[in-house]
């Protein structure tokens, strides 16, 4: 069998296809330590590609410690101590306490059965595109947190479809991919229904929703609850220069706004759980003790990591809604 295979119609750059071909040949024991790779000139002539393309691929293989060069002779296999079949590209939006729980549980469940490289796009579409373009063809699995980035789906679709898994947030454009995700519409609505008896002692609900990185499903679930149960409800983008009205419950996805609301309440000498209420999003150990306990809507990120690992290790193609719950504390 040929060692190097290039597909002219593939969206994957030629140099990445060369890298992938070498890795596959090693994984299938068609290349062993000390074996010589096809010469640069041979590949240029065979596939009508430039020397720069071949050299870029071979240089990358050198950087990975897979090949070495002998001046005037060519390129040779240096190491076969890697598993092409188990290299995972993981792209998170950001790292925080609960995403760290997710990653650690995933890592523990994988149990050294794969090389895992983690990256962060920080809600920047250009960074998202750059990281995916540079990884395309270099990994056996691609685990992506697209968040609510517009245009993310088109970029994800450049990756090999059978190797992509969507994490945390998904949407209709990504419905063809397996996923472990939150259903934010259902989760917010169900949590507020669970809290309905407690909410009846308040007069209005306010969702603080900047809309930059927060899932849009939160808004839909919030508005549905207000409409179905006739609660006065308002959505505001931030809490700057706000005065808290007694009888208000704040639903707060962003922890910075959580701090601002609590600080303002102290200035007004209002009592949490009596004069006003708070429901925060995503539980952390700190929220168990702040103000004698902050009520939260939270998914189980540890479970999310375990479900993802099980899906990948067993080659499942499911679409799993990770469970969420309302944790009631003194702030309500």
């Amino acid at each position: 069998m040929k060692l190097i295979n290039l597909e002219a119609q593939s969206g994957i750059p030629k140099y990445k296809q060369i890298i992938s071909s070498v890795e596959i040949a090693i994984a299938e024991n068609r290349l062993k330590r000390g074996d010589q790779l096809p010469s640069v000139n041979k590949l240029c002539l065979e596939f009508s590609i430039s020397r720069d393309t071949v050299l870029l691929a071979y240089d990358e293989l050198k950087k990975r410690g897979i090949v070495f060069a002998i001046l005037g002779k060519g390129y040779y296999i240096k190491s076969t101590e890697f598993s092409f079949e188990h290299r995972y590209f993981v792209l998170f939006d950001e790292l925080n306490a609960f995403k760290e729980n997710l990653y650690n549980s995933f890592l523990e469940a994988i149990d050294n059965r794969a090389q895992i490289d983690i990256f962060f796009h920080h809600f920047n579409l250009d960074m998202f595109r750059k990281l995916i373009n540079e990884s395309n063809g270099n990994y056996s699995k691609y685990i992506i947190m697209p968040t609510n980035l517009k245009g993310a789906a088109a970029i994800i679709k450049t990756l090999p479809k059978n190797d992509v898994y969507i994490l945390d947030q998904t949407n209709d454009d990504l419905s063809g991919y397996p996923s472990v995700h939150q259903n934010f519409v259902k989760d917010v609505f169900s949590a507020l229904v669970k809290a309905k008896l407690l909410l009846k002692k308040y007069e209005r609900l306010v969702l603080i929703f900047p809309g930059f990185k927060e899932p849009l499903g939160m808004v839909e679930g919030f508005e549905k609850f207000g409409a179905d149960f006739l609660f006065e409800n308002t959505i505001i983008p931030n809490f700057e220069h706000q005065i808290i009205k007694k009888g208000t419950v704040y639903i707060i996805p962003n922890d910075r706004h959580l701090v601002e609301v609590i600080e303002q309440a102290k200035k007004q000498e209002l009592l949490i759980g009596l004069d006003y209420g708070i429901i925060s999003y995503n539980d952390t150990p700190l929220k168990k003790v702040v103000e004698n306990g902050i009520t939260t809507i939270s998914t189980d990120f540890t479970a999310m990591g375990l479900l993802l690992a099980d899906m990948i290790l067993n080659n499942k193609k499911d679409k799993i809604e990770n469970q969420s719950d309302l944790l009631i504390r003194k702030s309500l």
Side-chain angles (χ1 to χ4, degrees), residues 265-322:
K266 289 184 180 300
K267 290 178 183 178
Q268 295 179 225
E269 298 183 346
L270 300 177
L271 296 176
I272 193 169
L274 183 63
D275 298 320
Y276 77 106
I278 286 178
I279 300 175
S280 180
Y281 217 95
N282 292 323
D283 201 36
T284 63
L286 194 60
K287 292 176 186 178
K288 298 176 183 178
V289 296
V290 169
E291 294 294 291
N292 295 316
I294 300 295
T295 297
T296 62
I297 303 170
S298 190
T299 196
D300 187 336
F301 285 100
T302 298
M304 187 182 287
L306 295 175
L307 286 168
L308 175 67
D310 177 69
M311 186 184 295
I312 290 175
L313 291 174
N314 293 291
N315 199 31
K316 298 176 182 177
K317 300 295 182 181
D318 302 326
K319 297 177 181 66
I320 301 173
E321 287 186 7
N322 206 56

Side-chain angles (χ1 to χ4, degrees), residues 170-240:
T170 189
N171 54 57
D172 291 342
D173 290 334
L174 297 170
S175 60
Y177 295 99
S179 62
V180 183
H181 61 274
Q182 300 185 62
N183 184 331
F184 292 95
V185 178
K186 186 177 77 174
D187 292 347
V188 170
F189 180 80
S190 298
L192 294 177
V193 169
K194 183 176 178 179
K196 185 159 66 75
L197 291 179
L198 290 170
L199 293 174
K200 282 187 175 181
K201 67 181 182 181
Y202 298 95
E203 297 175 13
R204 68 192 66 82
L205 307 178
V206 174
L207 172 64
I208 305 177
F209 191 82
F212 168 59
K213 60 182 182 179
E214 294 77 14
L216 298 176
M218 290 181 177
V219 172
E220 188 176 341
F222 174 77
E223 291 181 330
K224 175 175 168 54
F225 176 79
D228 286 3
F229 295 98
L230 304 178
F231 274 84
E232 180 185 336
N233 62 90
T234 305
I235 300 172
I236 59 176
N238 56 64
F239 191 73
E240 293 179 2

Side-chain angles (χ1 to χ4, degrees), residues 28-29 104 107 153 161 174 187 248 267 277 284 304 332:
E28 294 177 349
N29 293 316
N104 286 338
L107 209 60
K161 183 175 181 181
L174 297 170
D187 292 347
T248 302
K267 290 178 183 178
T284 63
M304 187 182 287
L332 203 57

